[in-house]
Structure formats: C-alpha cells, structure tokens
Amino acid sequence: MMLAFILLTLFSVAILFLGFIKQRNVIIPISILAILSAIISISTEQNFWNHYLMDMIRIDFNSKIVSLIILYTGLALVPFFALFQKRGNEELADFMGIFIFSIVGALLMVGAVNYMTLFLGVEILSISMYILAGADRRKVKSNEASLKYFIMGAFASAFMLFGIGLIYASTGSLSLLNIASQSSVLTDFALVFLFSSFAFKIALVPFHFWTPDVYEGTPTLFTAAMSTIVKVAAFGSFYNLIQLNTPLLPDWIQWYFVFLILATLIIGNLMALSQRSVKRLLAYSGIVQAGFILMGFLQLDANSEWPIFFYFIAYTLASLVAFIVVHFVEVQSGSDDIDSFAGLSKSNPSLAIFMTLALISLAGGPLTAGFIAKLLMLNQAIQSGFSALVIIAVICTLMSVYYYYKIVNSMFSKSGDSRWSIPFIYNGLLLIFIIITFAAGIVPTYFTNLLRNF
C-alpha cells in the first residue's frame, strides 16, 4: 500500500509541474497511468517500503476492497476532466494534481489503524476538496461552496481531534487496534465526538446542512467526485474504526445509529421533494443513500461487510452517471434546474436514457444494482431485529420515487431544444457504467461472490 501512496504522490507533483511548463496534452494520460499504477500496486499487494508505516496503516480485506473502489471511481472520472481543457485559462494540471492528492488522502483514511494517520488522511482529502469546490472561481456560488465546505469541514475536524484527544486521555494510545477491553464514560464521549465528525463527512442528518449548498456551487464533475470518493472513503474509514473497536462500543450505539438512520431517511426525503435544482436534489438523494448504507453498520458479524461494499459500488455507479449527465445539461442550458432537462429525450436521447436508468437504480428499481443493494441493507436491519426501521425505510424509498420521477418526466416531456451530442467516448463510458449497474442487478450472485472471495 505504501507503494501506491508513493506513486500517486510523485505523479501528482509531476502533473503540477507539467502544467507549469504548459504540457497540458499529456496530463490526462499521465493521470490515468498514476491511478492504474496504484490499482496494480494494491491489487498485487506490493510491500515496497511497507515496513515504514505498517504500524499506522493496514492492508486487509476491507481496506483493499474500499481502496480499489475509490481508485476505480477516480479512474472513471479522469477522462471527463479533459473537458476542463476547454475552459480557457483554467489550469487542468492544478485540478488533476489536487484530485490525485485527494485520492492519496482517501486511501490513507481507509487504511489507517492509527488516529494520527486517520486525521492526516481526512485533512489531505478535505483540503483538496475545499480547493476543488472553489475551482470555478469566477462564480460566486463556487466561492461560497468552497468557504462553506471549509468552515463545516473545520468543525468536523475539531470534533475528530477532540474525540482523538479523549481516546488518548482514557487509553494512553492512538492505535485503533483494540486499545482497551472495556468501555468507560470518557471513551463513550470520545466515540460520540468521533462518530459525529464522520457524520459530517458522510452528510448524515442532523450534520448534513452543508451538503446541498456545497453540491450546488461546486463544479459538477467535482461534485461527482465529492459524492462518491469522499463518501466511500468516509464510510470505509468509519466502518474500519467501528470494527476495530467493537469491544469499546457501548450498548446504546445501535440505537444511536437507528436515530441517525431514521432522521436521515425521513428528513432527507422530505427536503428532496421540494427541490428544483437537480444538483441539490441529488445532494439530498445522497443523504438518503447514506442512511441506507448506515443500516449495514447495525450488524458487525463476520462477513457482514460485503453488503456495504456492494452498496458502495451500486451507489457510486449511479451517482457518477447522474452527475455527469447533469454536467452536460448544465453546459448546454446554463442551469441545473429541472426545467433545463425538458425535452432531453429529443435533444440527446442517450443522455436521457442513461439518466433515467441511473435514477431507477438510485430509487432501488428492480433489475438494477440499487435494488439488490437496498435489499441487502434491509436484510441486515431485519437480522439485527429492527423490523420497524425496515418498514419506515421502505416507505421512504417509495417517497423517493416521486422526486426522481420529476426529473424523468421533465426529460421525456414534449418540449425540447435542437439536438446536440457529446463525444463518443463519453457516451461509451456512461454506457459501461449502466451495463455494470444492470449486470449487478440481474446476476447479483456473481458480484456478491466476487466480493466475498476477493
């Protein structure tokens, strides 16, 4: 894993230098090469220089799977970042270099077994995202998004540091590896602060207020990275923290999670119903999806993690497609309002179809990865004895169909502008994401076995 950190860091510095010497044409290929090299390094478990940080980082089944999901998501996004080459003086090298740095932070988070490493990863990822949120510096909303994200992120970091301080005061260690066998009042408080800081990053209610404004103001392709890489890294790290500290967890922790899940599902759905901006709607949709993922945390038995990883894959694929389609519509119309999608089925039928299928997966429609993912989470909740929670979750899922349908209805309405197209390669990539989404929904056993036996 150490080799992946070294490669990504060296490549990101090289990319920044390429921008300085105006070699923009090679930035995207080198970015792809950087992520591919990290994927090979982690997949083949290269141990180059691992001994320097292995007391603070661990590569196991969980961290390996989540790291690969993050890297493949980054790889899927890089070709779309080539669109920034058309933005005049905007520096593609700056964006790509910072984006690769953000992946380093995400990998540090999911592999951390020491609180200082965890905090370092959180800060590298967060600071990179604060900058990318304000990448569209000529727009007030982008600057506002960056500032809001920074202020709320600073609060989350303060919560995390306070929790880490309490953990150190009560145990005398910064290791996540079963540092104590019994819980105490001090560790209970520490866990509340740590969990709250993760709830900020994941955007669980009531720690979600920053999400719609930041998603709306951030350039849409970076919003796609924010809604997938940041969320998967935060959830992966959160799961790692809980699993390694199971003996420390107080009895009330499941009820704390149930409270967060209920608040997230109900308030997230209610707020999404009234949205006109598709980016804000997808922000609330992401909040609701986070509530579903948290259901997987109610059960921490052996082999209980693969349903969560399946949900990561399903959610990431659908979110990528949805945000990328929003980006293209926004470029054409200058707005992400639902009315801007009117007639998309006529002006660009392929994008309308991709968006519809992605929304069906986010809503948990049959034959999609989203359906299987939600089914697995509901099953986890039932096995943990929370049947009432499952009933409320199903009702919330039915509610979500309404606001997803509003977008679909707009796309297939009769009105529409003249036809326009996007490059063939982008259509091809979106088609691949959709094919995987449906393959995981039609033959889920193949994918679940793949995750179990990875």
Side-chain angles (χ1 to χ4, degrees):
M1 196 156 190
M2 188 65 190
L3 182 60
F5 295 140
I6 294 170
L7 288 170
L8 287 173
T9 304
L10 290 177
F11 272 114
S12 56
V13 172
I15 289 166
L16 291 172
F17 180 73
L18 287 170
F20 180 71
I21 60 173
K22 310 292 183 189
Q23 296 295 322
R24 294 179 184 174
N25 292 334
V26 295
I27 289 172
I28 295 297
I30 289 186
S31 301
I32 292 173
L33 181 65
I35 298 177
L36 278 175
S37 64
I39 289 173
I40 294 169
S41 167
I42 290 179
S43 301
T44 56
E45 300 183 6
Q46 297 297 316
N47 56 12
F48 182 66
W49 280 358
N50 271 1
H51 56 282
Y52 284 112
L53 278 177
M54 286 314 283
D55 290 338
M56 302 176 80
I57 295 172
R58 190 172 75 167
I59 180 76
D60 56 7
F61 173 79
N62 292 353
S63 59
K64 186 177 176 182
I65 291 277
V66 179
S67 297
L68 288 175
I69 292 173
I70 290 168
L71 286 167
Y72 279 115
T73 306
L75 186 66
L77 273 169
V78 167
F80 294 96
F81 290 147
L83 294 166
F84 288 123
Q85 284 178 314
K86 300 176 182 175
R87 291 176 50 176
N89 294 324
E90 299 287 1
E91 289 296 341
L92 176 66
D94 293 349
F95 295 163
M96 288 311 310
I98 294 169
F99 178 69
I100 301 290
F101 268 128
S102 74
I103 294 177
V104 174
L107 298 187
L108 264 177
M109 283 176 67
V110 299
V113 287
N114 183 285
Y115 282 106
M116 284 298 99
T117 319
L118 172 64
F119 186 72
L120 183 65
V122 168
E123 288 306 295
I124 292 174
L125 177 61
S126 300
I127 292 171
S128 302
M129 285 297 161
Y130 302 152
I131 299 168
L132 294 179
D136 213 344
R137 58 182 183 274
R138 297 181 187 85
K139 291 187 178 177
V140 175
K141 277 192 174 182
S142 183
N143 295 324
E144 182 187 337
S146 181
L147 183 61
K148 280 186 179 175
Y149 199 18
F150 168 72
I151 292 172
M152 297 310 294
F155 269 111
S157 296
F159 271 58
M160 179 170 284
L161 270 182
F162 197 67
I164 291 172
L166 290 177
I167 285 280
Y168 186 74
S170 61
T171 65
S173 171
L174 288 175
S175 172
L176 274 72
L177 296 168
N178 296 325
I179 51 180
S181 57
Q182 290 186 340
S183 176
S184 66
V185 175
L186 206 56
T187 53
D188 285 3
F189 273 112
L191 291 173
V192 169
F193 278 103
L194 283 170
F195 292 170
S196 299
S197 71
F198 277 107
F200 267 114
K201 297 294 178 190
I202 297 164
L204 291 169
V205 174
F207 306 99
H208 67 291
F209 291 105
W210 59 273
T211 317
D213 291 343
V214 172
Y215 275 32
E216 186 182 20
T218 301
T220 309
L221 291 178
F222 295 136
T223 312
M226 202 179 284
S227 71
T228 53
I229 291 175
V230 175
K231 194 158 289 210
V232 169
F235 259 120
S237 179
F238 190 21
Y239 186 81
N240 194 34
L241 173 67
I242 289 175
Q243 201 177 44
L244 293 177
N245 287 285
T246 302
L248 277 178
L249 298 180
D251 296 335
W252 49 262
I253 199 68
Q254 276 196 323
W255 290 106
Y256 178 67
F257 286 160
V258 169
F259 164 74
L260 289 178
I261 293 167
L262 282 174
T264 301
L265 292 180
I266 295 170
I267 295 177
N269 271 305
L270 288 176
M271 295 300 291
L273 290 174
S274 59
Q275 299 303 317
R276 295 294 306 170
S277 159
V278 175
K279 284 169 74 174
R280 290 182 73 87
L281 191 152
L282 289 175
Y284 283 110
S285 163
I287 290 169
V288 173
Q289 304 291 339
F292 267 98
I293 297 173
L294 195 62
M295 280 190 202
F297 288 56
L298 295 174
Q299 192 177 40
L300 291 173
D301 301 336
N303 297 321
S304 64
E305 64 277 1
W306 63 266
I308 298 174
F309 300 152
F310 189 93
Y311 206 110
F312 285 167
I313 296 169
Y315 167 72
T316 299
L317 286 168
S319 287
L320 283 180
V321 173
F323 277 109
I324 289 167
V325 172
V326 172
H327 167 79
F328 286 119
V329 172
E330 207 175 12
V331 167
Q332 288 294 322
S333 65
S335 168
D336 67 321
D337 192 275
I338 288 181
D339 289 339
S340 301
F341 287 71
L344 184 64
S345 61
K346 292 184 174 60
S347 53
N348 194 314
S350 59
L351 282 191
I353 292 169
F354 294 148
M355 186 68 168
T356 302
L357 297 177
L359 293 176
I360 289 173
S361 183
L362 285 172
L367 302 180
T368 65
F371 175 75
I372 301 297
K374 281 189 168 56
L375 208 58
L376 291 171
M377 290 298 115
L378 295 175
N379 184 49
Q380 295 269 71
I382 288 175
Q383 288 185 6
S384 302
F386 294 101
S387 301
L389 174 64
V390 170
I391 293 170
I392 295 171
V394 170
I395 294 170
C396 288
T397 302
L398 295 175
M399 280 174 63
S400 71
V401 173
Y402 172 72
Y403 54 79
Y404 291 129
Y405 173 74
K406 284 199 302 184
I407 305 173
V408 176
N409 183 49
S410 180
M411 289 190 296
F412 288 89
S413 61
K414 292 180 180 177
S415 58
D417 297 320
S418 56
R419 290 180 70 90
W420 51 273
S421 61
I422 62 173
F424 174 76
I425 185 171
Y426 298 138
N427 262 324
L429 286 171
L430 291 172
L431 179 62
I432 290 170
F433 301 158
I434 289 296
I435 288 173
I436 299 172
T437 296
F438 273 83
I442 294 167
V443 283
T445 313
Y446 172 78
F447 286 85
T448 53
N449 287 337
L450 200 66
L451 286 171
R452 280 173 169 153
N453 303 319
F454 191 83

Short mmCIF file of all heavy atoms in Angstrom, two decimals, residues 11-56:
data_model
loop_
_atom_site.label_atom_id
_atom_site.label_comp_id
_atom_site.label_asym_id
_atom_site.label_seq_id
_atom_site.Cartn_x
_atom_site.Cartn_y
_atom_site.Cartn_z
N PHE A 11 3.36 11.17 -8.94
CA PHE A 11 2.64 11.52 -10.17
C PHE A 11 1.91 12.85 -10.02
O PHE A 11 1.86 13.65 -10.97
CB PHE A 11 1.64 10.42 -10.54
CG PHE A 11 2.22 9.33 -11.39
CD1 PHE A 11 2.34 8.03 -10.91
CD2 PHE A 11 2.64 9.60 -12.69
CE1 PHE A 11 2.88 7.02 -11.71
CE2 PHE A 11 3.17 8.59 -13.49
CZ PHE A 11 3.30 7.30 -12.99
N SER A 12 1.32 13.10 -8.86
CA SER A 12 0.58 14.35 -8.69
C SER A 12 1.52 15.55 -8.74
O SER A 12 1.18 16.59 -9.33
CB SER A 12 -0.22 14.34 -7.39
OG SER A 12 0.62 14.09 -6.29
N VAL A 13 2.71 15.42 -8.15
CA VAL A 13 3.70 16.50 -8.23
C VAL A 13 4.14 16.69 -9.69
O VAL A 13 4.26 17.82 -10.18
CB VAL A 13 4.91 16.18 -7.33
CG1 VAL A 13 6.03 17.20 -7.56
CG2 VAL A 13 4.50 16.17 -5.87
N ALA A 14 4.33 15.57 -10.40
CA ALA A 14 4.73 15.65 -11.81
C ALA A 14 3.65 16.33 -12.65
O ALA A 14 3.95 17.14 -13.55
CB ALA A 14 5.00 14.24 -12.35
N ILE A 15 2.39 16.04 -12.34
CA ILE A 15 1.28 16.66 -13.09
C ILE A 15 1.25 18.17 -12.86
O ILE A 15 1.06 18.95 -13.80
CB ILE A 15 -0.06 16.01 -12.66
CG1 ILE A 15 -0.13 14.58 -13.21
CG2 ILE A 15 -1.25 16.82 -13.18
CD1 ILE A 15 -1.22 13.74 -12.59
N LEU A 16 1.47 18.60 -11.62
CA LEU A 16 1.52 20.04 -11.34
C LEU A 16 2.67 20.69 -12.11
O LEU A 16 2.53 21.81 -12.64
CB LEU A 16 1.70 20.27 -9.83
CG LEU A 16 0.50 19.89 -8.95
CD1 LEU A 16 0.87 19.97 -7.48
CD2 LEU A 16 -0.69 20.79 -9.24
N PHE A 17 3.81 19.99 -12.20
CA PHE A 17 4.96 20.53 -12.94
C PHE A 17 4.65 20.62 -14.43
O PHE A 17 5.02 21.60 -15.10
CB PHE A 17 6.18 19.65 -12.71
CG PHE A 17 7.41 20.13 -13.43
CD1 PHE A 17 8.10 21.25 -12.98
CD2 PHE A 17 7.88 19.47 -14.55
CE1 PHE A 17 9.22 21.71 -13.66
CE2 PHE A 17 9.00 19.91 -15.23
CZ PHE A 17 9.67 21.04 -14.78
N LEU A 18 3.93 19.61 -14.97
CA LEU A 18 3.57 19.64 -16.39
C LEU A 18 2.70 20.85 -16.73
O LEU A 18 2.81 21.43 -17.81
CB LEU A 18 2.82 18.35 -16.77
CG LEU A 18 3.68 17.08 -16.85
CD1 LEU A 18 2.80 15.85 -16.99
CD2 LEU A 18 4.64 17.19 -18.04
N GLY A 19 1.85 21.23 -15.80
CA GLY A 19 1.04 22.44 -16.00
C GLY A 19 1.91 23.67 -16.03
O GLY A 19 1.68 24.60 -16.82
N PHE A 20 2.94 23.68 -15.19
CA PHE A 20 3.84 24.82 -15.11
C PHE A 20 4.61 25.03 -16.42
O PHE A 20 4.85 26.16 -16.84
CB PHE A 20 4.82 24.59 -13.94
CG PHE A 20 5.81 25.69 -13.74
CD1 PHE A 20 5.40 26.93 -13.24
CD2 PHE A 20 7.15 25.51 -14.04
CE1 PHE A 20 6.31 27.96 -13.06
CE2 PHE A 20 8.06 26.54 -13.86
CZ PHE A 20 7.64 27.77 -13.37
N ILE A 21 4.97 23.90 -17.10
CA ILE A 21 5.71 24.02 -18.36
C ILE A 21 4.77 23.92 -19.57
O ILE A 21 5.22 23.68 -20.69
CB ILE A 21 6.83 22.95 -18.45
CG1 ILE A 21 6.24 21.53 -18.38
CG2 ILE A 21 7.87 23.15 -17.38
CD1 ILE A 21 7.26 20.44 -18.63
N LYS A 22 3.45 24.05 -19.33
CA LYS A 22 2.43 24.14 -20.40
C LYS A 22 2.33 22.87 -21.25
O LYS A 22 2.10 22.94 -22.45
CB LYS A 22 2.71 25.33 -21.33
CG LYS A 22 2.94 26.66 -20.62
CD LYS A 22 1.67 27.15 -19.96
CE LYS A 22 1.90 28.52 -19.31
NZ LYS A 22 0.76 28.93 -18.48
N GLN A 23 2.53 21.71 -20.67
CA GLN A 23 2.39 20.43 -21.40
C GLN A 23 1.03 19.81 -21.05
O GLN A 23 0.94 18.75 -20.44
CB GLN A 23 3.53 19.49 -21.03
CG GLN A 23 4.90 19.96 -21.45
CD GLN A 23 5.05 20.03 -22.96
OE1 GLN A 23 4.54 19.18 -23.68
NE2 GLN A 23 5.72 21.07 -23.43
N ARG A 24 -0.03 20.49 -21.43
CA ARG A 24 -1.36 20.07 -20.99
C ARG A 24 -1.84 18.78 -21.66
O ARG A 24 -2.68 18.07 -21.12
CB ARG A 24 -2.37 21.19 -21.27
CG ARG A 24 -2.11 22.42 -20.45
CD ARG A 24 -3.11 23.50 -20.76
NE ARG A 24 -2.81 24.72 -20.04
CZ ARG A 24 -3.45 25.86 -20.20
NH1 ARG A 24 -4.42 25.93 -21.08
NH2 ARG A 24 -3.12 26.91 -19.51
N ASN A 25 -1.36 18.50 -22.86
CA ASN A 25 -1.88 17.34 -23.61
C ASN A 25 -1.55 16.00 -22.97
O ASN A 25 -2.19 15.00 -23.28
CB ASN A 25 -1.35 17.37 -25.05
CG ASN A 25 -1.92 18.52 -25.83
OD1 ASN A 25 -3.01 19.00 -25.53
ND2 ASN A 25 -1.17 19.01 -26.82
N VAL A 26 -0.53 15.96 -22.14
CA VAL A 26 -0.14 14.67 -21.55
C VAL A 26 -0.67 14.51 -20.12
O VAL A 26 -0.43 13.48 -19.47
CB VAL A 26 1.40 14.50 -21.54
CG1 VAL A 26 1.94 14.45 -22.95
CG2 VAL A 26 2.07 15.63 -20.75
N ILE A 27 -1.39 15.51 -19.63
CA ILE A 27 -1.83 15.46 -18.23
C ILE A 27 -2.84 14.33 -17.99
O ILE A 27 -2.72 13.58 -17.02
CB ILE A 27 -2.42 16.83 -17.82
CG1 ILE A 27 -1.29 17.85 -17.72
CG2 ILE A 27 -3.15 16.73 -16.48
CD1 ILE A 27 -1.75 19.26 -17.53
N ILE A 28 -3.84 14.21 -18.87
CA ILE A 28 -4.86 13.17 -18.68
C ILE A 28 -4.25 11.77 -18.80
O ILE A 28 -4.48 10.92 -17.92
CB ILE A 28 -6.03 13.36 -19.69
CG1 ILE A 28 -6.75 14.69 -19.39
CG2 ILE A 28 -7.00 12.19 -19.62
CD1 ILE A 28 -7.40 14.78 -18.04
N PRO A 29 -3.45 11.47 -19.86
CA PRO A 29 -2.82 10.14 -19.91
C PRO A 29 -1.97 9.83 -18.69
O PRO A 29 -1.99 8.70 -18.17
CB PRO A 29 -1.95 10.21 -21.19
CG PRO A 29 -2.59 11.26 -22.02
CD PRO A 29 -3.15 12.26 -21.07
N ILE A 30 -1.23 10.81 -18.18
CA ILE A 30 -0.39 10.56 -17.00
C ILE A 30 -1.24 10.36 -15.75
O ILE A 30 -0.91 9.55 -14.88
CB ILE A 30 0.63 11.71 -16.82
CG1 ILE A 30 1.69 11.61 -17.93
CG2 ILE A 30 1.28 11.70 -15.46
CD1 ILE A 30 2.83 12.55 -17.83
N SER A 31 -2.35 11.08 -15.68
CA SER A 31 -3.26 10.88 -14.54
C SER A 31 -3.83 9.46 -14.54
O SER A 31 -3.93 8.81 -13.49
CB SER A 31 -4.40 11.89 -14.60
OG SER A 31 -3.91 13.20 -14.58
N ILE A 32 -4.21 8.98 -15.73
CA ILE A 32 -4.72 7.61 -15.85
C ILE A 32 -3.63 6.61 -15.46
O ILE A 32 -3.88 5.65 -14.73
CB ILE A 32 -5.23 7.35 -17.28
CG1 ILE A 32 -6.49 8.19 -17.54
CG2 ILE A 32 -5.52 5.87 -17.52
CD1 ILE A 32 -6.99 8.16 -18.97
N LEU A 33 -2.40 6.88 -15.94
CA LEU A 33 -1.27 6.00 -15.60
C LEU A 33 -1.03 5.98 -14.09
O LEU A 33 -0.76 4.92 -13.51
CB LEU A 33 -0.01 6.49 -16.34
CG LEU A 33 1.26 5.69 -16.12
CD1 LEU A 33 1.11 4.28 -16.68
CD2 LEU A 33 2.46 6.39 -16.78
N ALA A 34 -1.16 7.13 -13.43
CA ALA A 34 -0.96 7.21 -11.98
C ALA A 34 -1.95 6.32 -11.24
O ALA A 34 -1.56 5.53 -10.36
CB ALA A 34 -1.11 8.67 -11.53
N ILE A 35 -3.22 6.43 -11.60
CA ILE A 35 -4.24 5.65 -10.89
C ILE A 35 -4.11 4.16 -11.23
O ILE A 35 -4.27 3.30 -10.35
CB ILE A 35 -5.65 6.20 -11.22
CG1 ILE A 35 -5.76 7.64 -10.74
CG2 ILE A 35 -6.72 5.34 -10.56
CD1 ILE A 35 -7.07 8.33 -11.06
N LEU A 36 -3.81 3.86 -12.49
CA LEU A 36 -3.63 2.45 -12.87
C LEU A 36 -2.47 1.81 -12.09
O LEU A 36 -2.57 0.66 -11.63
CB LEU A 36 -3.36 2.33 -14.37
CG LEU A 36 -4.59 2.36 -15.29
CD1 LEU A 36 -4.15 2.35 -16.75
CD2 LEU A 36 -5.51 1.18 -14.99
N SER A 37 -1.38 2.56 -11.94
CA SER A 37 -0.23 2.02 -11.20
C SER A 37 -0.60 1.76 -9.74
O SER A 37 -0.16 0.77 -9.14
CB SER A 37 0.96 2.97 -11.29
OG SER A 37 0.66 4.21 -10.67
N ALA A 38 -1.42 2.64 -9.15
CA ALA A 38 -1.86 2.43 -7.76
C ALA A 38 -2.78 1.22 -7.68
O ALA A 38 -2.70 0.44 -6.70
CB ALA A 38 -2.58 3.68 -7.26
N ILE A 39 -3.65 1.04 -8.67
CA ILE A 39 -4.55 -0.13 -8.68
C ILE A 39 -3.73 -1.42 -8.74
O ILE A 39 -3.98 -2.37 -7.97
CB ILE A 39 -5.52 -0.06 -9.89
CG1 ILE A 39 -6.54 1.06 -9.67
CG2 ILE A 39 -6.22 -1.40 -10.11
CD1 ILE A 39 -7.44 1.33 -10.86
N ILE A 40 -2.73 -1.46 -9.62
CA ILE A 40 -1.88 -2.67 -9.74
C ILE A 40 -1.12 -2.90 -8.43
O ILE A 40 -1.02 -4.03 -7.94
CB ILE A 40 -0.91 -2.50 -10.93
CG1 ILE A 40 -1.70 -2.47 -12.24
CG2 ILE A 40 0.12 -3.64 -10.95
CD1 ILE A 40 -0.88 -2.05 -13.44
N SER A 41 -0.62 -1.82 -7.85
CA SER A 41 0.15 -1.94 -6.60
C SER A 41 -0.70 -2.55 -5.49
O SER A 41 -0.24 -3.45 -4.77
CB SER A 41 0.66 -0.56 -6.19
OG SER A 41 1.13 -0.57 -4.88
N ILE A 42 -1.93 -2.07 -5.33
CA ILE A 42 -2.79 -2.57 -4.25
C ILE A 42 -3.34 -3.95 -4.58
O ILE A 42 -3.40 -4.83 -3.71
CB ILE A 42 -3.92 -1.56 -3.97
CG1 ILE A 42 -3.32 -0.31 -3.32
CG2 ILE A 42 -4.99 -2.17 -3.07
CD1 ILE A 42 -4.31 0.78 -3.02
N SER A 43 -3.72 -4.18 -5.85
CA SER A 43 -4.27 -5.49 -6.24
C SER A 43 -3.26 -6.61 -6.03
O SER A 43 -3.61 -7.72 -5.60
CB SER A 43 -4.70 -5.47 -7.71
OG SER A 43 -5.66 -4.49 -7.94
N THR A 44 -1.99 -6.32 -6.34
CA THR A 44 -0.95 -7.35 -6.21
C THR A 44 -0.25 -7.31 -4.86
O THR A 44 0.71 -8.05 -4.64
CB THR A 44 0.10 -7.18 -7.33
OG1 THR A 44 0.63 -5.83 -7.25
CG2 THR A 44 -0.51 -7.38 -8.70
N GLU A 45 -0.75 -6.43 -3.97
CA GLU A 45 -0.24 -6.33 -2.59
C GLU A 45 1.28 -6.16 -2.55
O GLU A 45 1.99 -6.88 -1.85
CB GLU A 45 -0.68 -7.55 -1.77
CG GLU A 45 -2.19 -7.68 -1.70
CD GLU A 45 -2.64 -8.83 -0.82
OE1 GLU A 45 -1.79 -9.46 -0.18
OE2 GLU A 45 -3.85 -9.09 -0.80
N GLN A 46 1.76 -5.19 -3.32
CA GLN A 46 3.19 -4.87 -3.30
C GLN A 46 3.57 -4.34 -1.92
O GLN A 46 2.85 -3.52 -1.34
CB GLN A 46 3.50 -3.80 -4.36
CG GLN A 46 3.25 -4.25 -5.79
CD GLN A 46 4.15 -5.40 -6.19
OE1 GLN A 46 5.34 -5.39 -5.90
NE2 GLN A 46 3.59 -6.40 -6.84
N ASN A 47 4.69 -4.80 -1.37
CA ASN A 47 5.05 -4.41 0.00
C ASN A 47 6.28 -3.49 0.06
O ASN A 47 6.96 -3.43 1.09
CB ASN A 47 5.29 -5.65 0.86
CG ASN A 47 6.36 -6.54 0.26
OD1 ASN A 47 7.06 -6.14 -0.67
ND2 ASN A 47 6.48 -7.75 0.77
N PHE A 48 6.53 -2.81 -1.05
CA PHE A 48 7.69 -1.92 -1.10
C PHE A 48 7.57 -0.83 -0.03
O PHE A 48 6.63 -0.05 -0.02
CB PHE A 48 7.75 -1.29 -2.49
CG PHE A 48 8.92 -0.37 -2.70
CD1 PHE A 48 10.21 -0.88 -2.72
CD2 PHE A 48 8.73 0.98 -2.90
CE1 PHE A 48 11.29 -0.04 -2.93
CE2 PHE A 48 9.80 1.84 -3.11
CZ PHE A 48 11.08 1.32 -3.12
N TRP A 49 8.53 -0.76 0.90
CA TRP A 49 8.61 0.24 1.98
C TRP A 49 7.42 0.18 2.94
O TRP A 49 7.20 1.11 3.71
CB TRP A 49 8.72 1.67 1.41
CG TRP A 49 10.11 2.00 0.97
CD1 TRP A 49 11.21 1.20 1.07
CD2 TRP A 49 10.56 3.21 0.36
NE1 TRP A 49 12.33 1.83 0.56
CE2 TRP A 49 11.95 3.08 0.11
CE3 TRP A 49 9.93 4.40 0.00
CZ2 TRP A 49 12.71 4.07 -0.48
CZ3 TRP A 49 10.68 5.40 -0.58
CH2 TRP A 49 12.06 5.24 -0.83
N ASN A 50 6.65 -0.90 2.90
CA ASN A 50 5.50 -1.01 3.81
C ASN A 50 5.92 -0.93 5.27
O ASN A 50 5.17 -0.44 6.11
CB ASN A 50 4.76 -2.34 3.58
CG ASN A 50 3.69 -2.19 2.52
OD1 ASN A 50 3.51 -1.13 1.96
ND2 ASN A 50 2.98 -3.26 2.25
N HIS A 51 7.14 -1.45 5.58
CA HIS A 51 7.56 -1.53 6.97
C HIS A 51 7.66 -0.16 7.63
O HIS A 51 7.61 -0.05 8.85
CB HIS A 51 8.90 -2.27 7.09
CG HIS A 51 10.00 -1.67 6.27
ND1 HIS A 51 10.09 -1.88 4.91
CD2 HIS A 51 11.02 -0.85 6.61
CE1 HIS A 51 11.16 -1.24 4.45
NE2 HIS A 51 11.73 -0.61 5.45
N TYR A 52 7.79 0.91 6.83
CA TYR A 52 7.92 2.23 7.43
C TYR A 52 6.61 2.72 8.07
O TYR A 52 6.63 3.50 9.00
CB TYR A 52 8.36 3.26 6.39
CG TYR A 52 9.83 3.14 6.07
CD1 TYR A 52 10.25 2.72 4.82
CD2 TYR A 52 10.80 3.44 7.02
CE1 TYR A 52 11.60 2.60 4.52
CE2 TYR A 52 12.15 3.31 6.73
CZ TYR A 52 12.54 2.89 5.47
OH TYR A 52 13.87 2.77 5.18
N LEU A 53 5.49 2.27 7.53
CA LEU A 53 4.21 2.78 8.04
C LEU A 53 3.23 1.69 8.45
O LEU A 53 2.07 1.99 8.74
CB LEU A 53 3.54 3.67 6.98
CG LEU A 53 4.02 5.12 6.88
CD1 LEU A 53 3.32 5.83 5.75
CD2 LEU A 53 3.79 5.86 8.19
N MET A 54 3.67 0.43 8.49
CA MET A 54 2.71 -0.63 8.74
C MET A 54 2.13 -0.62 10.16
O MET A 54 1.11 -1.25 10.42
CB MET A 54 3.31 -2.00 8.42
CG MET A 54 3.43 -2.25 6.93
SD MET A 54 1.95 -1.82 5.98
CE MET A 54 0.90 -3.19 6.36
N ASP A 55 2.78 0.08 11.08
CA ASP A 55 2.17 0.21 12.40
C ASP A 55 1.04 1.22 12.40
O ASP A 55 0.28 1.30 13.36
CB ASP A 55 3.23 0.64 13.44
CG ASP A 55 4.23 -0.48 13.69
OD1 ASP A 55 3.88 -1.66 13.43
OD2 ASP A 55 5.35 -0.19 14.13
N MET A 56 0.98 2.00 11.35
CA MET A 56 -0.05 3.05 11.29
C MET A 56 -1.04 2.82 10.15
O MET A 56 -2.07 3.47 10.10
CB MET A 56 0.63 4.42 11.11
CG MET A 56 1.62 4.73 12.23
SD MET A 56 2.49 6.27 11.98
CE MET A 56 1.27 7.43 12.53
#
